[in-house]
Amino acid sequence: TFRKPATMYAVANKSTVSLRQAARPVFRAPLSRRAVVVKAAQEKAQIIQPINGDPFVGMLETPVTSTEDVATYLANLPAYRTGVSPTLRGVEIGLAHGFLLVGPFIKLGPLRNAADGIPEIAGCLSGAGLVLILALCLSVYGSASFQSTPSIGVKTLSGRTVQRDPLFSEDGWAGFTAGFTVGGLSGVAFAYILTQLLPYYS
């Protein structure tokens, strides 16, 4: 009988060993080690997380938005001061905007290099026109958003029922728009008076 040489058996054994080594799975960490890694990742403190741990609210709780100082500052802004009537809130916001809008028109407008007080007059007229445009936009927004009174009450995240802000109604928004118009034009007039009376303005 014909027998294969010993060299052929050696080659066959060597190829079989190499195939076994190639098919050997990659070393994996024991189950206990992986469990420890996952547990450590879960216990890591999260700086940004959903508010009250509820991801369906649609708002994130961050160190900036959750601090007491930021919450107090936002609560004292005129738009969120629910204890003040919407008209007075509109007057306060309009005064600030009307007073601040005049400066860029005076110093950066096309008539900024004119003489005899023309830049101040042109800037104040431009500021007054922008206030009227903003008042028109507020009126259109109120007419589109507050066509009917909602029947669903307002509740906090803890379930406590709170009174609805009167600003977010048809009458409240109309009063806010009127107050903004009066306050904005008053702020523009006050800015013009200061440009004429302040000795160091020029």
Side-chain angles (χ1 to χ4, degrees), residues 176-194:
F176 176 80
T177 304
F180 179 84
T181 305
V182 174
L185 295 178
S186 300
V188 170
F190 182 66
Y192 176 75
I193 292 173
L194 290 181

Side-chain angles (χ1 to χ4, degrees), residues 76-78 81 84 87-97 179 183:
N76 287 327
L77 290 177
R81 207 178 302 154
V84 183
T87 305
L88 292 180
R89 284 191 262 180
V91 170
E92 185 174 351
I93 295 175
L95 281 171
H97 283 75

Side-chain angles (χ1 to χ4, degrees), residues 26-35 37:
V26 182
F27 175 75
R28 297 179 181 178
L31 182 60
S32 59
R33 181 181 178 86
R34 286 188 293 167
V37 174

Side-chain angles (χ1 to χ4, degrees), residues 36-90:
V36 170
V37 174
V38 172
K39 185 177 180 182
Q42 290 177 352
E43 293 179 354
K44 185 178 180 181
Q46 297 293 330
I47 298 177
I48 300 176
Q49 55 187 354
I51 188 169
N52 291 340
D54 189 358
F56 300 100
V57 174
M59 181 176 179
L60 295 177
E61 189 174 4
T62 66
V64 177
T65 59
S66 301
T67 56
E68 185 178 355
D69 296 335
V70 174
T72 303
Y73 172 75
L74 293 177
N76 287 327
L77 290 177
Y80 301 105
R81 207 178 302 154
T82 57
V84 183
S85 66
T87 305
L88 292 180
R89 284 191 262 180

Side-chain angles (χ1 to χ4, degrees), residues 47-185:
I47 298 177
I48 300 176
Q49 55 187 354
I51 188 169
N52 291 340
D54 189 358
F56 300 100
V57 174
M59 181 176 179
L60 295 177
E61 189 174 4
T62 66
V64 177
T65 59
S66 301
T67 56
E68 185 178 355
D69 296 335
V70 174
T72 303
Y73 172 75
L74 293 177
N76 287 327
L77 290 177
Y80 301 105
R81 207 178 302 154
T82 57
V84 183
S85 66
T87 305
L88 292 180
R89 284 191 262 180
V91 170
E92 185 174 351
I93 295 175
L95 281 171
H97 283 75
F99 182 75
L100 295 176
L101 286 175
V102 174
F105 284 114
I106 294 176
K107 293 300 183 181
L108 303 176
L111 299 176
R112 59 184 178 273
N113 294 325
D116 298 332
I118 294 178
E120 288 78 14
I121 296 175
C124 291
L125 290 177
S126 301
L130 183 55
V131 167
L132 293 177
I133 293 174
L134 293 176
L136 178 62
C137 294
L138 287 174
S139 178
V140 171
Y141 174 79
S143 300
S145 300
F146 308 110
Q147 296 180 358
S148 60
T149 303
S151 58
I152 302 176
V154 180
K155 290 187 177 181
T156 61
L157 295 176
S158 60
R160 182 172 55 90
T161 303
V162 294
Q163 186 179 2
R164 185 178 296 275
D165 191 352
L167 173 62
F168 301 107
S169 62
E170 185 177 0
D171 295 336
W173 196 263
F176 176 80
T177 304
F180 179 84
T181 305
V182 174
L185 295 178

